[in-house]
């Protein structure tokens, strides 16, 4: 997130319109801000690529509320303030013998920001980052502190975790932890596109976390396959069953296992800040989706720096793209040419329409809002929950009005 004459997001492709910016240090300060403001939203590190975190009046950053509050060794949980980043939390947990089940591609994002937008990593059995949440604290639109727990408030909890920032200010989260573990990363280059399609299920089940990278410039090859494997005696890979004779193998990081919080994020150069769009589809539609996107490669090559394909396990959160379905995610890192991007992405929207593709809540969205709304069967319940927590609509912005309530246009990007 960059401040200057105008506040911008991490990638620099979106300019916020807020008049005031608040940095509270305590829950009490958050309550005071909520009660005195008419309209406001919460920003993490500004790693969204659209107007989901925008507001034309007040913004709150929780960057000063970034402490680890406690570790419960009996329940295997950690409780943190919502503004802590995964990069900070990862190092802390590992030093105490603990880990998280997964991380996003970039570690420098806040826990609350990732949770409320269903941000994900990769892995057949790994749910998005919100699935680690067992308790959360929210300051609602009245300025009241509300505590929700997975095992006690299951109905509200399932609607509140992936809230898109609409319920209020998330101030505290309790996450499930696991014993710390090491990850080894291996890389295959220039795989046959045909071989990948024929063996997609085996490839994604061959390691703890798997990513395919495609630049759509080559006619018949996948750029890279990254396998991130847990270092444990019982872990076995079925990759040897797949014909990868056309691929070149290179062991990234010299094959040296490192702690989970160092290997699961990709750690791309922080200067490579680009816009991003992503489509989440039912797992069964993965091969068909790649085939249809390949047919658009001549259009994609000028606007897409790299495409990453991952898998995510199902969850039970109402507004999660992975609600009750295992998914495949197709992510596009975009060059900063919005006039061209705005022409190409609708082509992707259309070709994936019959495959039930949903956009990622925090990335560039060009899909018609009514189509997005139609994909969430629990949307009516979510609207009622929003109105219950925030009856005056303090946390409603153009994004929520468009994609949740069906009112008015939304600012998407200014790449």
């Amino acid at each position: 997130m960059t401040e200057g004459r105008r506040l911008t997001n991490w990638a620099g492709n979106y300019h916020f319109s807020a008049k005031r910016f608040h940095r509270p240090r305590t829950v009490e300060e958050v309550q005071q801000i909520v009660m005195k403001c008419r309209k406001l939203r919460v920003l993490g590190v500004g790693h969204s690529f659209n107007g989901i975190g925008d507001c034309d009046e007040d913004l709150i950053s929780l960057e000063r509320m970034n402490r680890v509050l406690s570790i419960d060794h009996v329940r295997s949980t950690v409780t943190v303030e919502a503004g802590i980043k995964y990069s900070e939390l990862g190092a802390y947990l590992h030093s105490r013998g603990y880990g998280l089940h997964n991380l996003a591609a970039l570690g420098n994002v806040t826990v609350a920001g990732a949770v409320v937008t269903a941000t994900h990593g990769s892995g057949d059995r790994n749910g998005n980052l919100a699935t680690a949440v067992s308790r959360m604290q929210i300051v609602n639109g009245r300025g009241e502190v509300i505590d929700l727990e997975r095992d006690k408030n299951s109905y509200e909890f399932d609607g509140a975790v992936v809230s898109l920032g609409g319920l209020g200010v998330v101030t505290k989260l309790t996450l499930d932890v696991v014993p710390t573990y090491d990850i080894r990363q291996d890389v295959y280059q220039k795989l046959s596109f045909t071989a990948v399609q024929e063996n997609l299920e085996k490839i994604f089940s061959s390691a703890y976390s798997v990513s395919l990278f495609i630049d759509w410039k080559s006619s018949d090859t996948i750029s890279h396959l990254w396998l991130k494997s847990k270092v444990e005696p019982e872990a076995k890979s079925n990759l040897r069953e797949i014909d990868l004779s056309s691929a070149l193998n290179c062991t990234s990081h010299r094959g040296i296992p490192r702690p989970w919080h160092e290997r699961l994020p990709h750690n791309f150069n922080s200067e490579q800040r680009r816009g991003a769009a992503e489509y989440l589809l039912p797992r069964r539609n993965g091969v068909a989706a790649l085939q249809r996107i390949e047919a658009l490669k001549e259009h994609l090559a000028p606007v897409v720096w790299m495409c990453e394909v991952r898998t995510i396990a199902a969850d039970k959160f109402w507004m999660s793209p992975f609600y009750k379905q295992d998914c495949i995610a197709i992510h596009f890192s975009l060059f900063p040419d919005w006039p061209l991007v705005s022409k190409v992405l609708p082509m992707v929207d259309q070709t994936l329409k019959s495959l039930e593709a949903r956009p990622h809540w925090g990335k560039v969205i060009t899909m018609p809002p009514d189509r997005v709304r139609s994909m969430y069967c629990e949307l009516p319940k979510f609207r009622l929950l929003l109105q219950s927590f925030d009856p005056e609509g303090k946390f409603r912005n153009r994004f929520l009005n468009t994609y949740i309530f069906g009112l008015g246009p939304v600012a998407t990007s200014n790449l």
Side-chain angles (χ1 to χ4, degrees), residues 395-409:
F395 294 94
R396 282 176 58 174
N397 61 357
R398 286 181 295 169
F399 187 94
L400 290 184
N401 281 337
T402 299
Y403 292 109
I404 302 303
F405 291 97
L407 303 170

Side-chain angles (χ1 to χ4, degrees), residues 252-269:
S252 183
H253 304 296
R254 295 174 292 176
I256 301 172
R258 293 294 299 166
W260 59 277
H261 67 287
E262 296 181 14
R263 285 289 186 260
L264 288 175
H266 296 341
N267 296 317
F268 286 135
N269 187 332

